[in-house]
Amino acid sequence: MNNQIIKILLIQAIEYPEKVGILTDAIREILGFKRIKASQFIILESHIDLTIIDKFLTNSLLEIGFEFDNFAKIKPEKYKYHFTLEYCIDIKKKYRTKELFDLVTKCSKEAAKIIQAHPKADGYVETEVYSYKDDRRFIFKPVTKQGLKHFPFNNESFLIFDLPLSESDSQKINISLDTHRVADIHLKIPSYLNHKNYLELETEEMYLLKEKLKCCGFYEIISESGNYIYTAHFSKTLESKNVFKKLVEFANTWGGFIEISKEICTSMWRKKNIGEKQTITLAEAPPLLSLQKQN
């Protein structure tokens, strides 16, 4: 990074004490102070998934506040590069929430313009919001055979469908091209990569729990910190609330997870790729889930 980018990052880290990110945290570490997270918070985020990056694209995104947020494994697999703009705000500061929500919205639109203008990079931008009420933490305990029997979902619980990539796709499956996720659920499981003392992480029951999640339609992410995250995107807000509630009830009783969060997706933009005969294809995004029946 050149000096101008470092200067911008430094100013952002100081002017926005709510800002979260690997670079911002590193700057604060060097300066000798740390961000204090409120116990009752609201998170505002914008995420970018990209197929390729170069120096210009990277610098352009860093300049408007995005930071590196990469994964060892994600879906779709073609997205190798990831950026996040995130603010963690005391929920009592409503004026600040509005101000930073507008900023995240503005930066997301700027990022979309930058990506759309890039000749090679493909990807999408999404904005999300969630509060402490939808971010549950647990003291880890491995799931048991008895617990697995009580897992609330199976491979028949959800209808899984891909988002259309073109107008013709949209007509075939009768789903609008503007359709996008309305909520995400993330389930975090620690691994031996970052919890070497947790020998019980590698039990057959924990392996079977992961397989159950994948059979339901959750896909596996491996974060840079070494956690396994199982993610699903939902097409209906009420359904996501019901699924979240049942998963939290399961974790409270039977364990298996260290964190479960539900995030509301406020917007999603996908790059428009123009092909032969001026046909337009949108960037690929992960599939959506919808309950086939009440469980």
Side-chain angles (χ1 to χ4, degrees):
M1 291 180 284
N2 60 42
N3 288 339
Q4 179 62 21
I5 295 295
I6 293 172
K7 180 181 178 180
I8 290 170
L9 292 168
L10 177 62
I11 291 171
Q12 290 175 350
I14 295 171
E15 289 190 349
Y16 296 96
E18 304 92 345
K19 196 167 189 288
V20 182
I22 189 170
L23 298 176
T24 296
D25 291 344
I27 289 169
R28 292 184 183 136
E29 183 82 18
I30 292 168
L31 294 177
F33 66 93
K34 294 183 179 180
R35 176 178 56 86
I36 300 174
K37 185 175 182 179
S39 58
Q40 296 186 349
F41 59 86
I42 185 166
I43 300 286
L44 305 175
E45 295 178 320
S46 180
H47 299 292
I48 299 173
D49 286 358
L50 294 169
T51 51
I52 65 167
I53 58 171
D54 54 25
K55 188 174 182 179
F56 171 79
L57 186 54
T58 299
N59 287 346
S60 297
L61 294 175
L62 291 176
E63 282 179 2
I64 58 175
F66 286 86
E67 301 191 26
F68 306 113
D69 188 21
N70 289 319
F71 300 89
K73 180 181 180 182
I74 203 165
K75 184 177 180 178
E77 294 181 1
K78 68 179 184 179
Y79 294 124
K80 305 293 185 184
Y81 306 98
H82 314 274
F83 293 82
T84 293
L85 175 62
E86 179 180 348
Y87 296 95
C88 180
I89 310 149
D90 188 327
I91 204 162
K92 297 174 186 176
K93 299 180 179 179
K94 294 183 179 179
Y95 71 95
R96 191 63 169 164
T97 301
K98 173 65 167 61
E99 179 183 336
L100 292 175
F101 179 82
D102 291 342
L103 179 60
V104 169
T105 301
K106 176 186 174 184
C107 293
S108 298
K109 291 179 179 178
E110 289 182 21
K113 290 180 181 178
I114 292 167
I115 297 165
Q116 186 61 52
H118 195 278
K120 294 182 179 180
D122 196 18
Y124 63 87
V125 182
E126 63 163 339
T127 57
E128 295 180 316
V129 58
Y130 66 98
S131 76
Y132 69 98
K133 295 179 181 179
D134 292 325
D135 184 39
R136 308 295 176 85
R137 306 293 175 99
F138 310 91
I139 296 174
F140 179 75
K141 59 180 180 181
V143 72
T144 63
K145 289 182 179 179
Q146 184 69 10
L148 286 174
K149 295 177 182 178
H150 289 82
F151 190 73
F153 305 107
N154 57 45
N155 58 357
E156 295 182 352
S157 297
F158 301 104
L159 174 67
I160 306 169
F161 58 94
D162 293 322
L163 290 173
L165 300 180
S166 64
E167 197 60 53
S168 59
D169 281 350
S170 175
Q171 293 171 359
K172 287 177 185 177
I173 60 178
N174 197 28
I175 297 175
S176 170
L177 207 55
D178 296 326
T179 300
H180 64 79
R181 67 189 72 163
V182 299
D184 300 343
I185 291 179
H186 305 288
L187 304 150
K188 185 182 289 185
I189 299 175
S191 78
Y192 67 90
L193 296 172
N194 60 357
H195 291 276
K196 292 182 171 57
N197 295 327
Y198 285 3
L199 299 178
E200 65 268 29
L201 289 170
E202 304 307 314
T203 64
E204 182 182 0
E205 289 77 18
M206 287 304 300
Y207 171 79
L208 292 174
L209 177 61
K210 294 178 181 179
E211 291 303 302
K212 277 182 175 288
L213 289 166
K214 289 188 279 189
C215 286
C216 288
F218 286 75
Y219 63 89
E220 186 177 78
I221 296 172
I222 303 177
S223 69
E224 282 194 325
S225 60
N227 289 307
Y228 282 80
I229 301 171
Y230 292 85
T231 292
H233 309 288
F234 291 84
S235 60
K236 298 177 182 178
T237 304
L238 182 58
E239 289 186 352
S240 70
K241 289 181 179 179
N242 291 335
V243 172
F244 176 74
K245 180 181 178 181
K246 291 188 176 185
L247 289 169
V248 169
E249 289 173 351
F250 174 84
N252 279 327
T253 304
W254 302 105
F257 308 105
I258 58 171
E259 183 179 355
I260 302 177
S261 61
K262 177 173 66 68
E263 304 172 354
I264 299 302
C265 181
T266 54
S267 68
M268 186 170 186
W269 170 88
R270 294 190 282 163
K271 182 172 181 177
K272 293 181 179 179
N273 297 293
I274 302 175
E276 296 180 4
K277 300 181 181 179
Q278 298 300 299
T279 55
I280 296 177
T281 304
L282 298 185
E284 183 183 2
L288 301 184
L289 269 61
S290 182
L291 282 170
Q292 294 201 93
K293 58 184 178 182
Q294 295 299 322
N295 291 274

